[in-house]
Amino acid sequence: VTAPVTSPALAAIPTPFLLVDVAALRRNVARAVALADGVSLRPHFKAHKCTRVLAEQVAGGGCRGVTCATAAEARVLAEAGFGTILVANEVVHPAALALLAAAARRVEVTACADAPVHVERLGAVAAEHGVELGVLLDVDVGQHRCGLPPGSPELIPLAARIARTPGLRLEGLMGYDGHAQHRPTPSDRAAAAQDTAAILAAERDRLAGAGYPSPVVSGGGTGTLQGSVAAGVLTEVQAGSYALMDVEYGAVAAPFERAVSCVATVISRHGGRAVADAGLKALSCEHGLPVAEDAGVQVVGMADEHATLAVSGAGGPAVGDAIALVPHHLDPTVNLHAALHARHPDGSIERWDVDGG
Amino acid sequence: VTAPVTSPALAAIPTPFLLVDVAALRRNVARAVALADGVSLRPHFKAHKCTRVLAEQVAGGGCRGVTCATAAEARVLAEAGFGTILVANEVVHPAALALLAAAARRVEVTACADAPVHVERLGAVAAEHGVELGVLLDVDVGQHRCGLPPGSPELIPLAARIARTPGLRLEGLMGYDGHAQHRPTPSDRAAAAQDTAAILAAERDRLAGAGYPSPVVSGGGTGTLQGSVAAGVLTEVQAGSYALMDVEYGAVAAPFERAVSCVATVISRHGGRAVADAGLKALSCEHGLPVAEDAGVQVVGMADEHATLAVSGAGGPAVGDAIALVPHHLDPTVNLHAALHARHPDGSIERWDVDGG
């Protein structure tokens, strides 16, 4: 993403706003397909909540369906024409279950279960709405969030319960290694992906031994994409952030390039200190600060509405100048914006709504 | 805010959502008026971006106008019928300046300046749109963000420039002591407020000596409200968070009660670990984690879509139960939601849009 100050079309957009470099996005999509090396991608919508970005990911090829985090997102995706939707999450609230059923009336939809209550609720809503729902058994591969622990005696009974519930379709298992996505080196992440694959292979084999085959073994992310492919157990990788990237993934040498930045206006400048109009309502900072694209500018503080910048050397941005800040953490940052502004290779700017609800 | 699990009306609202205790909000508003002790309140809209909450603050009395952070907010407020609007910020981008002028066509609007470029741009947009704009000179009272440093030789020339610019009305000065709002004890904050008051009194007196009186001396916040009143220089306090509060202000014994929580659904439970469906897209965590209202439950991790909870002892929330989490930082948390759900003293629930743009 190059400095955006030269384009009158960009200068007219109220700051702060997110700017997407479409050429870089497309290079990232092509690179993910190459790295997946025949394993399916199931791009994760939660990273950007923008159907236009997801369409770029799907258009790049190599995908089997799409992934999302919530039933509300599933409905948006189904209405936008995406199919074979995985909600990589447990769906529990009655309103969420109704949205899941609404999506399943249009396309194939799958959700996750790690306890009998999930199977009960999914079965009840499938019956109530006359739809079929796919189910993946969720396994805790080390993130210690949702999922059955590896080797749990509950796994086979849960599979049996899904298999005998009318309206549910047991598709296999998933285990998301979120704890490994930002490990510092590619080889750290490859080792973690091997561990994940070993756990999921053992669970897959236990299920097969009990008569429950797993056509789907889903997991992985942008950080573990290569390691997951090398480990050879996953049938699909749920990566999403690779499309646009962020500081966090850049810092651990994920093999993709930054395709998004937040354009802000400098509103105050006194000596080596400048202030821009992009704060915590434009850039999510729970894991760290954004990084300025200009090498002479450093973000030193973020408040609700302001980024405070240290400017080194003479010159640097004046009041009224645009400045580009790379988000530290993509997913909750895009969630702060109603739209992305996509810059095409020909220089034209297109508004892409963040329409994921 | 008591546990919300018993109300069918609440149970029907898709989680995660923000729940406001209207009785607690009104007690906070009354307490702020009492503490202000005759100094004007100018409640800050940026804390909640909800005109319905701002209306409660104004209805409590003791206010002279309202404060906001952006020109877009100013236009929303002007259209919603609020008057005497202070944008406590420098307004620089052409689109923002146009919104400021749109607001100023309806009601009295004031913005800030810390450099000639601000005066130029405010004067130009006032002339272009045929409106008058108030201007406060912005002084850096120790936060080291926007504002002229104390004693700056630029202060008087800047005042003169405002005074001679057609369409601009020099109203006085402001200095926001954001660095002091969360100091650990009330006496720490009172001392900081005294320092702020001393700086602003000196600048006010310099301006008066040069022939520029300051009918407005604006500053302060929820943390320094009492200290600012005691120091006796501010004519108005720009506090906002006192209406709803958060973990951060609660931790430093600000004299108000929590009136908001985020209601989430437990979606997974294995032993002492539970997971709820409120993550970084529902609760802003740059300064720390939310706090569960249930004493037996501790938030131990936040991801994009999940809160991971440690449950102590036997029992605790099961899958499907509602759980209430108090936001750590109010302003960027409310910004994540399209609406607040206000629970009135009679138990009825009303949707209050977060309509601040």
Side-chain angles (χ1 to χ4, degrees):
Chain A
V1 184
T2 52
V5 290
T6 50
S7 153
L10 282 174
I13 303 170
T15 54
F17 66 89
L18 293 179
L19 178 63
V20 169
D21 179 333
V22 175
L25 158 62
R26 288 179 181 158
R27 287 191 296 270
N28 283 337
V29 168
R31 185 144 176 74
V33 175
L35 292 171
D37 194 24
V39 174
S40 294
L41 295 170
R42 201 165 192 176
H44 209 318
F45 186 55
K46 85 170 175 72
H48 46 69
K49 297 182 79 142
C50 174
T51 55
R52 193 62 187 74
V53 173
L54 193 67
E56 291 282 340
Q57 290 172 292
V58 170
C63 297
R64 179 187 170 267
V66 295
T67 309
C68 61
T70 70
E73 289 173 355
R75 192 182 56 171
V76 167
L77 292 177
E79 289 181 353
F82 293 90
T84 319
I85 297 168
L86 168 61
V87 182
N89 210 348
E90 282 66 18
V91 179
V92 170
H93 192 284
L97 288 160
L99 291 169
L100 200 69
R105 268 196 295 272
R106 291 173 173 264
V107 298
E108 196 178 300
V109 173
T110 298
C112 296
D114 73 11
V117 60
H118 301 125
V119 182
E120 258 171 49
R121 293 197 179 199
L122 292 171
V125 79
E128 182 189 343
H129 293 266
V131 297
E132 187 178 80
L133 291 168
V135 186
L136 294 184
L137 293 156
D138 194 358
V139 176
D140 177 8
V141 295
Q143 186 179 31
H144 305 323
R145 201 166 64 191
C146 300
L148 284 170
S152 167
E154 297 170 38
L155 183 74
I156 305 297
L158 197 58
R161 188 173 190 127
I162 297 165
R164 72 171 178 259
T165 301
L168 300 187
R169 178 181 71 243
L170 178 60
E171 293 186 341
L173 47 140
M174 75 153 265
Y176 176 58
D177 48 358
H179 58 295
Q181 295 305 320
H182 295 96
R183 292 210 173 152
T185 68
S187 62
D188 291 336
R189 298 196 297 277
Q194 286 284 355
D195 294 344
T196 295
I199 291 169
L200 291 176
E203 299 302 71
R204 178 198 62 195
D205 293 347
R206 279 212 292 149
L207 286 166
Y212 304 107
S214 297
V216 175
V217 182
S218 189
T222 293
T224 58
L225 170 58
Q226 289 165 285
S228 300
V229 170
V233 172
L234 297 187
T235 64
E236 60 185 39
V237 177
Q238 304 169 2
S241 297
Y242 67 87
L244 299 178
M245 289 288 285
D246 57 22
V247 170
E248 240 175 342
Y249 272 121
V252 299
F256 303 99
E257 60 187 293
R258 294 182 201 160
V260 66
S261 61
C262 181
V263 179
T265 300
V266 173
I267 62 164
S268 179
R269 174 83 197 265
H270 291 281
R273 183 170 71 235
V275 179
D277 65 355
L280 298 169
K281 295 179 183 175
L283 289 152
S284 199
C285 294
E286 63 287 334
H287 295 165
L289 298 175
V291 171
E293 292 194 354
D294 181 332
V297 176
Q298 194 186 353
V299 179
V300 294
M302 293 290 290
D304 295 337
E305 316 279 350
H306 301 93
T308 303
L309 311 169
V311 183
S312 61
V319 170
D321 285 353
I323 189 161
L325 305 175
V326 182
H328 196 279
H329 185 182
L330 178 68
D331 312 35
T333 293
V334 177
N335 182 58
L336 296 168
H337 294 262
L340 304 170
H341 296 268
R343 182 163 53 182
H344 288 284
D346 66 1
S348 65
I349 306 293
E350 187 184 2
R351 183 187 158 103
W352 290 358
D353 287 338
V354 176
D355 51 1
Chain B
V1 184
T2 52
V5 290
T6 50
S7 155
L10 282 174
I13 303 171
T15 53
F17 67 88
L18 293 179
L19 178 63
V20 169
D21 179 334
V22 175
L25 159 61
R26 288 177 180 158
R27 288 191 295 272
N28 283 338
V29 168
R31 185 144 177 73
V33 174
L35 292 171
D37 193 26
V39 173
S40 294
L41 295 169
R42 201 166 192 174
H44 209 318
F45 186 56
K46 85 172 175 71
H48 46 68
K49 297 183 77 143
C50 174
T51 55
R52 192 62 187 74
V53 172
L54 193 67
E56 291 282 340
Q57 290 172 291
V58 170
C63 297
R64 178 186 171 271
V66 294
T67 309
C68 62
T70 69
E73 290 173 355
R75 191 181 60 172
V76 167
L77 292 177
E79 288 181 354
F82 293 91
T84 320
I85 298 167
L86 168 61
V87 182
N89 211 347
E90 282 66 18
V91 179
V92 169
H93 192 283
L97 289 160
L99 291 169
L100 200 69
R105 269 197 294 270
R106 292 174 172 263
V107 297
E108 196 177 300
V109 173
T110 298
C112 297
D114 74 10
V117 61
H118 301 125
V119 181
E120 257 171 51
R121 292 197 180 199
L122 292 171
V125 79
E128 182 189 342
H129 293 266
V131 297
E132 188 179 79
L133 292 168
V135 185
L136 295 183
L137 292 156
D138 194 358
V139 176
D140 176 10
V141 296
Q143 186 180 29
H144 304 323
R145 201 166 63 191
C146 301
L148 284 171
S152 168
E154 297 171 37
L155 183 73
I156 306 298
L158 196 57
R161 189 173 190 126
I162 296 165
R164 72 170 178 257
T165 300
L168 301 188
R169 178 181 72 243
L170 178 60
E171 293 185 341
L173 46 139
M174 76 153 264
Y176 176 58
D177 49 357
H179 58 294
Q181 296 304 321
H182 296 95
R183 292 208 174 153
T185 68
S187 63
D188 291 335
R189 299 196 296 278
Q194 286 284 355
D195 294 343
T196 296
I199 291 170
L200 292 176
E203 299 302 70
R204 176 198 64 195
D205 294 348
R206 279 213 292 150
L207 286 166
Y212 303 108
S214 296
V216 175
V217 182
S218 190
T222 292
T224 57
L225 170 58
Q226 290 166 284
S228 300
V229 170
V233 171
L234 296 188
T235 64
E236 60 185 39
V237 177
Q238 304 170 2
S241 297
Y242 68 87
L244 300 178
M245 289 289 285
D246 57 21
V247 169
E248 243 177 338
Y249 271 122
V252 300
F256 304 99
E257 61 187 291
R258 293 181 202 161
V260 66
S261 62
C262 181
V263 180
T265 299
V266 173
I267 62 163
S268 179
R269 174 83 196 266
H270 291 281
R273 183 172 71 235
V275 179
D277 65 355
L280 299 170
K281 295 179 183 176
L283 290 152
S284 198
C285 294
E286 64 288 334
H287 297 163
L289 298 175
V291 171
E293 292 194 352
D294 182 330
V297 176
Q298 195 187 352
V299 179
V300 295
M302 294 289 290
D304 293 337
E305 316 279 350
H306 301 94
T308 304
L309 312 168
V311 182
S312 60
V319 171
D321 286 353
I323 187 160
L325 305 175
V326 182
H328 197 278
H329 185 183
L330 178 67
D331 313 35
T333 292
V334 177
N335 182 58
L336 296 169
H337 294 262
L340 304 171
H341 296 267
R343 183 163 52 184
H344 288 283
D346 67 2
S348 65
I349 306 293
E350 187 183 2
R351 183 187 159 102
W352 291 357
D353 287 338
V354 176
D355 51 1

